[in-house]
Amino acid sequence: MNEMLNKKRFVYADNAATTQISEEVFQTMLPWLRENGYGNPSSIYELGRRAGFAIEDARKKVADALGAQPNEIYFTGCGSESDNWAIKGVAHKLAAKGKKHIITSAFEHHAVLHTCAALEKEGFEVTYLPVGPLGLLDPKQVADAIRPDTALVTIMYANNEIGTIQPIPEIGAICRERGVLFHTDAVQAVGNVPINVKEQQIDLLSLSGHKLHAPKGVGALYIKKGIIFPNLIDGGEQERGRRAGTENVASIIALGRAIELACADIPQKIAKVTPMRNRIIDALLELPMSRLNGDREKRLMGNANLSFVGAEGEALLLGLDMMGVCASSGSACTTGSLDPSHVLLSLGLCHEVAHGSLRLTISDWTTEEDVDYIIQAVKTVVERTRNMSPLWEDLQTGKKTVPFSR
Amino acid sequence: MLYSDKVLEHFSNPHNVGEIPDANGVGEVGNAKCGDIMKMYLKIQDGVITDAKFKTFGCGAAIATSSMATDMIKGSTIEDALKLSNQAVVDALDGLPASKIHCSVLAEQAVKAALADYYQRQGVDPKPILGDLPDGDACHMH
């Protein structure tokens, strides 16, 4: 450990949590904070009009990245707001027609799960589809769960913890055929997976700026033309009267540029990042009693989520932080509750294995040298953490055994 | 998660990590399902704790409280060690985030469990001295 600390390096391996604003995006947004760019887009004079036009330009860029029309893109404050608006909006609209059933998966982001829970309190019924040991849904599960009173299917495009990519086009086709609206939380997928809302038959899609090298505090919701539902935020006429509040002009413009850049070269990024990601997975699976969480192939290019039994996740994160590596975990200590991540438990992992999880999310900014350092640092920290773990000792002596799954 | 510098210091360089081969009081509390296990080893001579070591599976706060608790009881009498409260450990670490207070409770319990084992080895029933020790199979929110 001390040897490692001497050649300490800073490696950001938590891109699923957030990303740094890129230089290009930063320069694009700067003029819109001051001087000739600070106008209110609702104002009639030139200073305001200019901001208004720039927002429409950003809207077109978001639409182009998704294969949508600009008038189908609504800017919001974040991915969570987009999820809340889409799900609550559709639910409340269709409840009037007696449709009070929602289908989702057990391992959605809390922005979806807690929104569904809030609707359950209002009398809606929610089906939580199990995801199976590899973290993948079978489209047939969705088909089987649809009922005459189903208002909405909401399934994430890619999971935020284990990075598994769901069969969205297949689910989209099923929903379209059965006449059920389909929302996807694509916060983790945009810029990582080619998305076309028309081809993939998506009715509503949530995205967030700060996962794409745009700033925090801006997101968007794609709403297919013709779908009308109540507002989440009432007030002025911004966003064609559907989402009030003076626009976050600079951030919206940043999001436009960021999504344009992020979606321009997805195949090239996949070709570059996937081998680095695999190198991390393969090297860390050399550690005894380790496992990869989630399917290996149908997985976001930058996501490596592994469990190291006998080591606790938060201790791993603090140890990695001491070495300059930023990562994330699904242990109870990091979820702020007594239970480890609902995502890992949904795969059927037992608590002991979920507590020892580590999520590393690299990007196309990550270098081969960073990968070398990540591997070395994780190995060092896992060993150190296990060396002081009575659980590891008991596993070594055979006094205790831990099944990987329940 | 905002840890004090003291907690981070004890996490980075924990004191008293390891085992005592000839320990005469060993206690283990917590369980793997909850994500915290503390095992404490005591060497007691003439009523004084001459050495204390620990092994902990758990978060940063669990490791830091184990380190601090063993520091605090090392060299003290059994009577003083029995009085060690979780709050004293928290104070010595310049505080813990609210969600981590249970780690200090676990550290206090680990000391008590090791002392109970010591009494048992001496042929003394620890119950009248220590009371009931907590059930290790459930995840308690302290």
Side-chain angles (χ1 to χ4, degrees):
Chain A
M1 184 117 194
N2 289 336
E3 189 195 329
M4 287 289 290
L5 282 173
N6 290 337
K7 46 181 175 178
K8 183 169 162 175
R9 166 187 188 106
F10 178 80
V11 180
Y12 187 74
D14 206 12
N15 286 279
T18 195
T19 58
Q20 187 185 159
I21 302 179
S22 67
E23 179 60 25
E24 188 159 359
V25 169
F26 184 60
Q27 292 304 336
T28 304
M29 75 183 285
L30 267 187
W32 299 98
L33 292 164
R34 303 178 69 231
E35 293 172 0
N36 299 319
Y38 67 90
N40 188 324
S42 301
S43 300
I44 191 113
Y45 40 77
E46 211 265 329
L47 183 68
R49 287 199 309 272
R50 196 184 300 146
F53 285 130
I55 285 178
E56 292 320 305
D57 183 48
R59 196 184 310 281
K60 181 167 187 316
K61 289 189 163 96
V62 175
D64 287 347
L66 301 175
Q69 295 300 313
N71 61 4
E72 296 174 310
I73 303 298
Y74 297 83
F75 291 111
T76 63
C78 55
S80 293
E81 183 193 326
S82 299
D83 286 339
N84 269 263
W85 184 21
I87 298 167
K88 288 175 180 165
V90 169
H92 290 143
K93 173 77 178 179
L94 294 182
K97 295 183 180 172
K99 292 189 171 186
K100 296 192 78 175
H101 176 235
I102 295 164
I103 298 167
T104 188
S105 79
F107 77 162
E108 295 293 312
H109 190 274
H110 284 135
V112 169
L113 287 182
H114 290 174
T115 298
C116 286
L119 288 169
E120 281 180 298
K121 282 189 184 154
E122 292 180 30
F124 288 86
E125 202 184 318
V126 181
T127 299
Y128 299 92
L129 299 173
V131 291
L134 294 175
L136 292 171
L137 277 177
D138 182 340
K140 193 172 173 295
Q141 291 175 271
V142 177
D144 292 347
I146 292 176
R147 314 189 311 211
D149 64 339
T150 302
L152 178 73
V153 171
T154 172
I155 302 290
M156 67 197 332
Y157 211 116
N159 184 269
N160 51 310
E161 288 189 37
I162 55 173
T164 49
I165 300 166
Q166 304 307 312
I168 294 301
E170 291 81 357
I171 296 172
I174 290 166
C175 292
R176 192 63 57 88
E177 190 198 320
R178 303 282 291 274
V180 177
L181 290 178
F182 175 41
H183 166 253
T184 184
D185 174 344
V187 165
Q188 295 289 340
V190 175
N192 282 279
V193 184
I195 297 177
N196 184 303
V197 291
K198 302 292 175 219
E199 287 170 11
Q200 299 172 2
Q201 305 185 65
I202 298 163
D203 296 313
L204 302 131
L205 179 146
S206 302
L207 65 91
S208 169
H210 74 106
K211 314 286 191 190
L212 314 161
H213 303 291
K216 293 153 189 70
V218 65
L221 179 65
Y222 153 78
I223 307 175
K224 184 173 177 282
K225 199 162 186 289
I227 300 175
I228 308 294
F229 48 77
N231 294 348
L232 193 65
I233 300 178
D234 288 307
E237 284 302 304
Q238 293 89 357
E239 301 298 293
R240 295 188 296 288
R242 297 184 73 173
R243 200 278 187 181
T246 300
E247 297 88 340
N248 184 356
V249 178
S251 293
I252 287 171
I253 291 162
L255 171 57
R257 184 70 183 125
I259 199 168
E260 184 180 40
L261 290 168
C263 294
D265 57 350
I266 293 175
Q268 290 91 319
K269 278 193 293 189
I270 291 175
K272 183 195 165 198
V273 178
T274 310
M276 291 201 286
R277 191 273 320 270
N278 286 343
R279 200 150 74 77
I280 293 175
I281 292 174
D282 290 333
L284 296 181
L285 284 177
E286 286 170 8
L287 290 167
M289 294 201 76
S290 57
R291 64 160 269 154
L292 177 68
N293 297 319
D295 187 77
R296 190 180 170 121
E297 302 302 326
K298 291 174 184 146
R299 179 178 201 101
L300 294 175
M301 59 177 120
N303 179 296
N305 187 314
L306 298 112
S307 282
F308 305 101
V309 183
E312 194 280 328
E314 194 212 81
L316 294 179
L317 298 188
L318 283 174
L320 285 172
D321 182 37
M322 285 161 50
M323 293 188 158
V325 177
C326 301
S328 183
S329 167
S331 82
C333 284
T334 54
T335 60
S337 70
L338 291 175
D339 282 322
S341 130
H342 68 284
V343 173
L344 298 176
L345 295 181
S346 76
L347 305 183
L349 259 61
C350 69
H351 281 60
E352 290 86 337
V353 180
H355 283 306
S357 75
L358 179 70
R359 181 188 73 179
L360 299 156
T361 43
I362 59 168
S363 78
D364 58 321
W365 291 24
T366 310
T367 65
E368 296 288 349
E369 291 73 29
D370 289 337
V371 169
D372 292 339
Y373 187 78
I374 289 170
I375 292 168
Q376 244 186 317
V378 173
K379 284 186 169 179
T380 308
V381 170
V382 168
E383 195 186 345
R384 172 196 192 248
T385 310
R386 280 175 166 175
N387 279 344
M388 64 170 91
S389 163
L391 175 60
W392 182 243
E393 181 189 321
D394 288 346
L395 292 167
Q396 295 299 293
T397 57
K399 208 173 137 195
K400 275 186 194 146
T401 53
V402 167
F404 270 121
S405 55
R406 280 172 286 152
Chain B
M1 183 67 62
L2 294 174
Y3 281 137
S4 70
D5 288 346
K6 199 91 179 213
V7 171
L8 291 175
E9 193 185 303
H10 275 265
F11 170 79
S12 322
N13 293 300
H15 305 171
N16 317 311
V17 176
E19 297 158 40
I20 302 173
D22 60 341
N24 51 5
V26 181
E28 184 176 305
V29 294
N31 70 65
K33 189 169 180 277
C34 311
D36 289 308
I37 303 172
M38 283 184 200
K39 191 169 187 180
M40 223 162 260
Y41 299 83
L42 302 179
K43 177 78 186 161
I44 300 172
Q45 280 171 321
D46 305 325
V48 174
I49 299 170
T50 56
D51 199 8
K53 287 200 185 299
F54 77 90
K55 274 195 152 185
T56 289
F57 163 75
C59 61
I63 291 166
T65 53
S66 308
S67 169
M68 182 54 87
T70 45
D71 263 2
M72 290 169 84
I73 58 168
K74 237 163 104 170
S76 76
T77 61
I78 294 175
E79 287 70 30
D80 285 344
L82 281 169
K83 284 184 222 146
L84 179 79
S85 71
N86 78 298
Q87 191 55 47
V89 176
V90 173
D91 292 343
L93 286 169
D94 296 338
L96 279 177
S99 64
K100 299 292 183 180
I101 296 295
H102 75 276
C103 294
S104 67
V105 175
L106 214 55
E108 178 193 320
Q109 288 171 352
V111 171
K112 294 204 158 84
L115 289 171
D117 179 57
Y118 170 77
Y119 280 123
Q120 249 153 8
R121 293 189 198 204
Q122 306 298 311
V124 179
D125 178 10
K127 241 188 178 174
I129 306 162
L130 284 149
D132 285 321
L133 284 169
D135 170 16
D137 286 334
C139 291
H140 292 289
M141 181 65 102
H142 300 286

